[in-house]
């Protein structure tokens, strides 16, 4: 009998054993302490974790606070604080700080669960809704939105109206006559002036002072030049040799601007000592204008020569009578410091610009705000009117020169003029065929007002160019700089050549 086959033994099937959870997992699932986990946590880590949790709680509380409905009227904020049992004002606290304190208080009460206290304060406000209205009415009565002008201001407004209306009429009639006359060709004339402007070249250069120069101005016949400097000294120079003929000492702080009168040889200066002064060209002091609460920036004469406008860091610009030294007008309106002021060639309007990134045009005959020119994104440092009467140019720290049309009250053109802030701007005084800008990129530039394309770049200064002026015939430009130099640029040689070609 054959033996039965012997099969190999069958290996046992392994039974899977569930893995044992690590100590860290079980401790984390059970919410155990760090010591039970098996590793140590430093004190710095615990402190950082507590700071993080506290910051998260503060962030959530701040979000809840900003989501709350908080009154915007200061009287309503005071009333809410009074009903919540808190002081209505603290020492040195403003309206915005008071509103923030109320918001933080309401958020804290909500976080602490004191809802009944908040609801009670809101119910009390609904019961007596007229208290805030009465407070508003009292405030409006106490602080009127206008101030009554003096009789001197009234007479000045009448005088400005009588001066400006005939000039405006003559300007409009002349423009109509030029358009109707077939012999007149404004385009050809503008092209000739622009061609001459392209030939501006440095004629003379002179050290103006021991300290940086801040302002410059030609006299009405361009026979004299005045400059101001950080030393507080203003100097008068004879042209064309740039020979000093007078030194004006009277300011106790740095001089910020200077301007010659359009009708005689008097000149006015502005200073950081909060005053403006009127001088004779021989250096004798005629008048001092005191009244500003902060340092002065720019100033300008009215075309009639009877009034002076000053811009100041006290957020106002003022109009003065140069014959009596009386302050005729204190004009508010800017929310920040006022830096520049300029007058319309007819004398009817004034323009002011400032650190609130806007320029404002005022009607001097009625005292009304004509328009606000908003477009710059940084402080506006210069404003000027064109001789044609309907264009305004502004320059700013945003490196742009913007052209505005007073008829439409809109911006016409925006010129990316320089690589740094633009300190000053002037139109060519005859017809306004070109304008000049000075900048902290050490250059001045000329621009055509037909297409606003660049004509010429005046390079020569070694530091920031702070101011410029154009002579009455448009043939000379003066620039001053922080490098303490005066530079005269001229195109008279090219003008003579062009006249010979025309002949």
């Amino acid at each position: 009998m054959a033996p039965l086959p012997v099969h190999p033994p069958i290996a046992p099937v392994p039974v899977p054993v569930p893995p044992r959870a690590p100590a860290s997992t079980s401790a984390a699932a059970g919410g155990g302490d760090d010591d039970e986990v098996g590793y140590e946590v430093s004190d710095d880590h615990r402190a950082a974790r507590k700071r993080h949790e506290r910051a998260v709680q503060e962030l959530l509380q701040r979000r809840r606070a900003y989501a709350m409905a908080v009154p915007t009227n200061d009287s309503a904020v005071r009333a809410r604080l009074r009903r919540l049992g808190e002081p209505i004002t603290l020492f040195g606290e403003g309206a915005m700080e008071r509103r923030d304190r109320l918001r933080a208080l309401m958020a804290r009460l909500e976080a602490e669960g004191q809802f009944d206290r908040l609801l009670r304060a809101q119910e009390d406000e609904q019961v007596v809704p007229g208290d805030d209205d009465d407070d508003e009415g009292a405030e409006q009565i106490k602080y009127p939105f206008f101030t009554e002008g003096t009789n001197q201001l009234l007479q000045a407004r009448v005088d400005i109206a009588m001066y400006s209306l005939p000039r405006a009429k003559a300007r409009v009639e002349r423009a109509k006559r030029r358009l109707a006359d077939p012999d007149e060709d404004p385009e050809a004339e503008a092209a000739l002036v622009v061609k001459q402007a392209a030939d501006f070249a440095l004629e003379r250069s002179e050290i103006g002072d021991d300290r940086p120069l801040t302002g410059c101005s030609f006299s009405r016949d361009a026979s004299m030049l005045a400059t101001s400097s950080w030393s507080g000294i203003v100097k008068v120079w004879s042209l064309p040799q740039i020979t000093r003929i007078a030194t004006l000492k009277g300011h106790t702080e740095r001089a910020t601007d200077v301007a010659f009168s359009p009708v005689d040889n008097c000149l006015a200066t502005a200073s950081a000592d909060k005053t403006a002064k009127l001088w004779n060209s021989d250096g004798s002091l005629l008048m001092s204008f005191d009244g500003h609460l902060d340092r002065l920036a720019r100033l300008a004469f009215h075309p009639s020569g009877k009034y002076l406008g000053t811009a100041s860091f006290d957020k106002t610009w003022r109009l003065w009578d140069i014959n009596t030294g009386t302050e005729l007008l204190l004009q508010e309106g800017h929310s920040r410091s006022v830096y520049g002021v300029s007058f319309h060639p007819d004398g009817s309007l004034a323009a002011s610009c400032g650190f609130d990134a806007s320029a404002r045009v005022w009607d001097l005959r009625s005292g009304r705000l004509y328009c606000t020119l908003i477009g710059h994104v940084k402080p506006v440092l210069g404003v000027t009117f064109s001789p044609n009467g309907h264009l305004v140019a502004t320059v700013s720290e945003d490196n742009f020169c913007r052209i505005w049309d007073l008829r439409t009250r809109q911006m016409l053109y925006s010129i990316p003029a320089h690589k740094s802030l633009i300190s000053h701007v002037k139109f060519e005084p005859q017809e306004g065929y070109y304008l000049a800008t000075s900048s902290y990129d050490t250059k001045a530039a000329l621009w055509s007002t037909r297409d606003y394309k660049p004509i010429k770049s005046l390079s020569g200064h070694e530091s920031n160019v702070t101011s410029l002026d154009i002579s009455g015939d448009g043939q000379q430009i003066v620039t001053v700089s922080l490098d303490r130099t005066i530079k005269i640029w001229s195109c008279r040689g090219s003008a003579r050549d062009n006249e010979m070609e025309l002949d």
Side-chain angles (χ1 to χ4, degrees), residues 71 74 81 90 98 172 223 237-238 313 356 367 391 393 402 416 463:
D74 188 52
L81 287 170
L90 300 178
R98 191 177 301 113
V172 173
S223 62
W237 313 79
S238 66
F313 279 72
D356 56 1
L391 293 182
R402 301 184 189 272
S463 186

Side-chain angles (χ1 to χ4, degrees), residues 475-494:
Q475 301 297 313
Q476 286 182 299
I477 296 176
V478 59
T479 56
V480 294
S481 167
L482 295 185
D483 63 9
R484 303 174 296 131
T485 63
I486 309 166
K487 295 190 184 297
I488 304 292
W489 313 80
S490 176
C491 66
R492 283 178 173 169
S494 62

Side-chain angles (χ1 to χ4, degrees), residues 80-99:
R80 180 75 63 87
L81 287 170
R82 185 187 299 114
R83 293 186 179 93
L84 290 174
E86 296 290 327
I88 63 173
T89 186
L90 300 178
F91 179 76
E93 185 181 51
M96 296 303 297
E97 291 86 355
R98 191 177 301 113
R99 187 168 182 263

Side-chain angles (χ1 to χ4, degrees), residues 186-458:
E187 290 295 326
E189 182 178 345
L192 178 60
V193 173
V194 168
K195 181 182 178 182
Q196 293 177 6
D199 295 328
F200 267 101
L202 181 62
E203 182 178 348
R204 296 187 183 276
S205 181
E206 182 69 30
I207 298 291
D209 198 85
D210 296 334
R211 302 294 307 279
L213 301 178
T214 58
C216 57
S217 177
F218 280 111
S219 63
R220 54 175 179 164
D221 57 358
S223 62
M224 291 184 291
L225 171 70
T227 59
S228 58
S229 76
W230 282 6
S231 64
I233 297 175
V234 177
K235 297 179 181 179
V236 182
W237 313 79
S238 66
L239 297 178
Q241 299 299 326
I242 316 184
T243 305
R244 186 173 62 183
I245 58 177
T247 302
L248 284 55
K249 297 181 179 180
H251 290 293
T252 58
E253 294 286 344
R254 63 186 182 274
T256 57
D257 199 15
V258 61
F260 264 103
S261 170
V263 296
D264 52 32
N265 287 331
C266 294
L267 65 153
T269 58
S271 171
D273 61 8
K274 309 176 187 178
T275 66
K277 296 183 184 297
L278 183 68
W279 310 78
N280 206 338
S281 58
D282 59 4
S284 57
L285 179 63
L286 300 178
M287 191 82 63
S288 182
F289 307 98
D290 306 325
H292 279 290
L293 305 178
D294 206 341
R295 67 184 187 270
L296 272 65
R298 300 291 186 186
L299 81 170
F301 273 97
H302 189 267
S304 66
K306 298 180 181 179
Y307 310 103
L308 179 70
T310 55
S312 170
F313 279 72
D314 62 7
K315 304 179 184 179
T316 68
W317 70 272
R318 308 192 185 204
L319 188 68
W320 308 84
D321 188 333
I322 68 169
N323 295 319
T324 63
T326 306
E327 178 188 302
L328 299 174
L329 174 65
L330 186 156
Q331 185 62 65
E332 298 175 325
H334 287 274
S335 60
R336 297 186 65 186
S337 302
V338 183
Y339 196 81
V341 63
S342 179
F343 291 99
H344 192 278
D346 296 341
S348 56
L349 304 175
S352 59
C353 62
F355 285 8
D356 56 1
S358 69
R360 296 172 182 267
V361 181
W362 312 85
D363 189 344
L364 294 175
R365 300 163 295 185
S366 63
R368 296 177 180 271
L369 174 65
Y370 177 73
C371 65
T372 302
L373 308 178
I374 300 176
H376 289 285
V377 296
K378 287 187 177 181
V380 182
L381 304 180
V383 59
T384 186
F385 288 93
S386 171
N388 63 21
H390 60 264
L391 293 182
V392 175
T394 57
V395 292
S396 166
E397 282 188 13
D398 60 11
N399 309 347
F400 275 82
C401 174
R402 301 184 189 272
I403 311 298
W404 311 81
D405 193 333
L406 291 178
R407 299 167 296 186
T408 61
R409 310 185 191 190
Q410 299 293 327
M411 183 174 65
L412 283 181
Y413 206 86
S414 182
I415 309 172
H418 291 273
K419 297 179 180 179
S420 185
L421 70 85
I422 307 176
S423 56
H424 213 48
V425 61
K426 287 279 187 178
F427 276 99
E428 178 263 318
Q430 291 289 328
E431 299 291 341
Y433 288 140
Y434 69 85
L435 60 89
T437 57
S438 60
S439 170
Y440 275 21
D441 63 3
T442 73
K443 298 178 182 178
L446 306 180
W447 309 85
S448 169
T449 55
R450 295 189 302 165
D451 48 15
Y452 302 104
K453 292 182 179 180
I455 302 174
K456 179 85 173 181
S457 179
L458 307 180

Side-chain angles (χ1 to χ4, degrees), residues 61 65 68 70 77 80-88 97-114 117-118 121:
Q61 186 174 358
M68 288 184 172
V70 183
V77 171
R80 180 75 63 87
L81 287 170
R82 185 187 299 114
R83 293 186 179 93
L84 290 174
E86 296 290 327
I88 63 173
E97 291 86 355
R98 191 177 301 113
R99 187 168 182 263
D100 292 339
R101 181 163 63 92
L102 174 61
R103 179 188 285 111
L105 173 63
M106 293 173 61
R108 181 170 57 82
L109 293 178
E110 183 184 8
E112 294 174 357
Q114 301 185 31
R117 191 173 171 187
L118 291 172

Side-chain angles (χ1 to χ4, degrees), residues 25-43:
T25 307
S26 61
D33 193 24
D34 292 337
D35 297 335
E36 300 176 358
V37 174
Y39 57 84
E40 293 183 358
V41 178
S42 65
D43 295 337

Side-chain angles (χ1 to χ4, degrees), residues 171-193 430-431 433 502:
R171 174 174 56 82
V172 173
E173 289 179 349
R174 179 174 178 272
K176 291 180 178 179
R177 186 172 61 253
R178 284 168 59 88
L179 288 176
D181 191 350
D183 295 332
E184 292 280 353
D185 191 352
E187 290 295 326
E189 182 178 345
L192 178 60
V193 173
Q430 291 289 328
E431 299 291 341
Y433 288 140
L502 289 177

